[in-house]
């Protein structure tokens, strides 16, 4: 039985109710003028509507900090969290990071239960895991499965995907809830599922708790997540791409674009350069390079090993700060 593991974690799992104010599609200028012409003031403009979204979260700190998903609380005016003991308390958004889909809330109240977070080791494929949340609003539910894969980056919803894949059932309402291991430690934050019918097909994804902890620390300390940035577009090198460019295929990441006067441009990077190592560590994929750059603090030097025109050279770039949802650069 895994009842002891569930008992350790479940009291800290909360239901997150987020109230959002939405309006119907705004009228076009033509529609607006026609309504005014024929009906005058008798027809009112589209009214505001209150919409409630449901998700889950987990209390991870004695200050009442709650980890959940950004998409659960995005645009919310009011947030209430309901604890396992029935208490309903208001919560505020401390900060969020759309690029990892992590949000940090702070729940009011005292004597809040706290979940234990897993250590630095990622779960292994085959490890038993359980997802706790409030699927479809039916109440707190536990589902069990195994870790099917790690390091998944298949959704394309965020730039920093490195999901734990699991066959533990994750359904609407589970988002933001914890994925726990066999001893009750939180190893991930449930965030998405692969489904063609709105229900679980045995392919769910969770954000590793190590990444969630890093994001939470930055949000609590800085109010936002600060990441390194070079201002370059990049893509993984494939045999077909190498052949089309007339270069030798091998490990490395191709620079496809450089932002004018960005950190990469000032460091002398050019489209067509092949980055084979960062800080003397080999890079083989664009996602690996993106994450290596993002981990560097703005203003610090970054050593790049470049292959250009058949020659290999070393270059140093001073890392800038990644703009929020940087469009087209460092991707």
């Amino acid at each position: 039985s895994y009842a002891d593991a569930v008992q350790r974690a479940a009291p800290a799992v909360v239901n997150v109710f987020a109230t959002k104010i939405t309006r119907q599609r705004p009228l076009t200028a033509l529609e607006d003028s026609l309504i005014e012409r024929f009906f005058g003031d008798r027809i009112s403009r589209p009214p505001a509507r209150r919409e409630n979204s449901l998700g889950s979260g987990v209390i991870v700190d004695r200050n009442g900090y709650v980890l959940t998903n950004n998409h659960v609380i995005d645009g919310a005016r009011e947030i209430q969290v309901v604890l396992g003991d029935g208490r309903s308390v208001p919560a505020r958004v401390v900060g969020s990071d759309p690029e990892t889909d992590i949000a940090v809330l702070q729940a009011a109240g005292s004597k809040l239960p706290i979940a234990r977070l897993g250590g630095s080791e990622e779960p292994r494929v085959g490890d038993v895991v359980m997802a706790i949340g409030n699927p479809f609003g039916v109440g707190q539910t536990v589902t069990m499965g195994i870790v099917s894969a790690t390091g998944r980056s298949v959704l394309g919803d965020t730039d920093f995907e490195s999901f734990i894949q699991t066959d533990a059932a994750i359904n609407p309402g589970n988002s933001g809830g914890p994925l726990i291991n066999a001893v009750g430690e939180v190893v991930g934050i449930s965030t998405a599922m692969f489904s063609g019918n709105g229900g679980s097909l045995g392919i769910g994804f969770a954000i590793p708790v190590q990444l969630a902890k890093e994001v939470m620390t930055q949000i609590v300390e800085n109010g936002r997540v600060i990441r390194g940035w070079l201002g370059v577009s990049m893509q993984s090198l494939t045999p077909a791409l190498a052949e089309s460019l007339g270069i030798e295929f091998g490990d490395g990441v191709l620079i496809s674009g450089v932002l004018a006067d960005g950190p990469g441009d000032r460091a002398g990077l050019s489209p067509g350069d092949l980055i084979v190592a960062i800080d003397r560590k080999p890079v083989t994929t664009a996602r690996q390079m993106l994450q290596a750059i993002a981990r560097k603090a703005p203003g610090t030097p970054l050593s790049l090993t470049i292959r250009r025109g058949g020659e290999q050279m070393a270059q140093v770039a001073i890392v800038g700060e990644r703009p929020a949802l940087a469009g087209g650069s460092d991707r």
Side-chain angles (χ1 to χ4, degrees):
S1 173
Y2 296 101
D4 290 342
V6 173
Q7 279 190 332
R8 292 187 190 103
V13 180
V14 298
N15 300 335
V16 179
F17 295 90
T19 301
K20 307 177 184 182
I21 306 298
T22 63
R23 291 184 181 274
Q24 296 176 0
R25 177 182 63 84
L27 298 175
T28 65
L30 177 61
E31 290 171 332
D32 195 53
S33 63
L34 287 174
I35 287 176
E36 187 172 346
R37 177 182 175 186
F38 289 105
F39 299 99
D41 294 332
R42 287 178 293 166
I43 300 296
S44 61
R45 296 296 181 262
R49 295 187 304 170
R50 294 173 67 91
E51 291 186 355
N52 295 319
S53 66
L54 172 67
S56 302
V58 58
I59 304 171
V60 296
D61 183 271
R62 63 183 179 183
N63 293 310
Y65 292 131
V66 177
L67 281 174
T68 187
N69 286 147
N70 175 67
H71 74 260
V72 170
I73 57 85
D74 187 33
R77 294 285 188 90
E78 300 173 7
I79 300 174
Q80 290 283 129
V81 297
V82 179
L83 282 71
D85 61 11
R87 282 184 290 169
S88 178
V89 298
R92 70 179 184 94
V93 178
V94 180
S96 61
D97 181 41
E99 297 199 278
T100 54
D101 197 24
I102 286 288
V104 179
L105 312 178
Q106 187 172 29
S110 59
K111 297 182 179 179
L112 299 176
I114 301 169
R116 181 178 175 183
L117 301 183
S120 58
E121 292 185 4
E122 281 196 2
R124 299 173 301 168
V125 174
D127 281 355
V128 170
V129 287
M130 289 157 280
I132 309 179
N134 185 7
F136 300 108
V138 299
Q140 191 175 98
T141 303
V142 181
T143 57
M144 189 187 79
I146 63 168
V147 173
S148 309
T150 58
R152 289 296 201 211
S153 56
V154 295
L155 301 182
D157 292 336
T158 69
D159 285 330
F160 297 95
E161 293 181 349
S162 184
F163 293 123
I164 300 167
Q165 181 181 322
T166 177
D167 64 349
I170 293 176
N171 287 292
N174 273 110
S175 290
L179 189 72
I180 67 171
N181 60 19
V183 295
E185 297 172 331
V186 178
V187 295
I189 302 297
S190 301
T191 190
M193 62 180 179
F194 183 84
S195 175
N197 59 9
S200 174
L201 296 179
I203 303 178
F205 301 97
I207 301 163
V209 73
Q210 294 83 8
L211 177 57
K213 284 193 291 187
E214 291 172 8
V215 170
M216 183 179 74
T217 298
Q218 288 222 42
I219 286 175
V220 171
E221 293 179 354
N222 306 314
R224 58 193 174 91
V225 179
I226 299 173
R227 295 187 174 95
W229 179 68
L230 280 188
V232 299
S233 299
M234 63 190 83
Q235 56 189 116
S236 301
L237 190 65
T238 63
L241 181 60
E243 183 179 357
S244 68
L245 295 173
I247 61 177
E248 183 181 350
F249 173 70
D251 292 336
V253 177
L254 183 70
I255 300 298
S256 55
V258 179
L259 181 68
D261 202 34
D265 185 31
R266 290 193 291 269
L269 296 182
S270 301
D273 286 347
L274 193 66
I275 308 298
V276 296
I278 291 181
D279 287 340
R280 300 181 180 178
K281 296 179 181 178
V283 289
T284 57
T285 67
R287 189 167 299 277
Q288 183 186 7
M289 180 171 167
L290 171 67
Q291 293 174 347
I293 295 169
R295 283 194 293 266
K296 297 290 287 188
T300 59
L302 181 71
S303 174
L304 302 170
T305 305
I306 304 169
R307 191 176 299 153
R308 178 188 296 169
E311 296 183 4
Q312 191 158 301
M313 62 187 73
Q315 204 86 328
V316 175
I318 302 301
V319 177
E321 182 177 339
R322 179 180 172 86
L325 290 175
S329 301
D330 281 18
R331 287 187 176 182

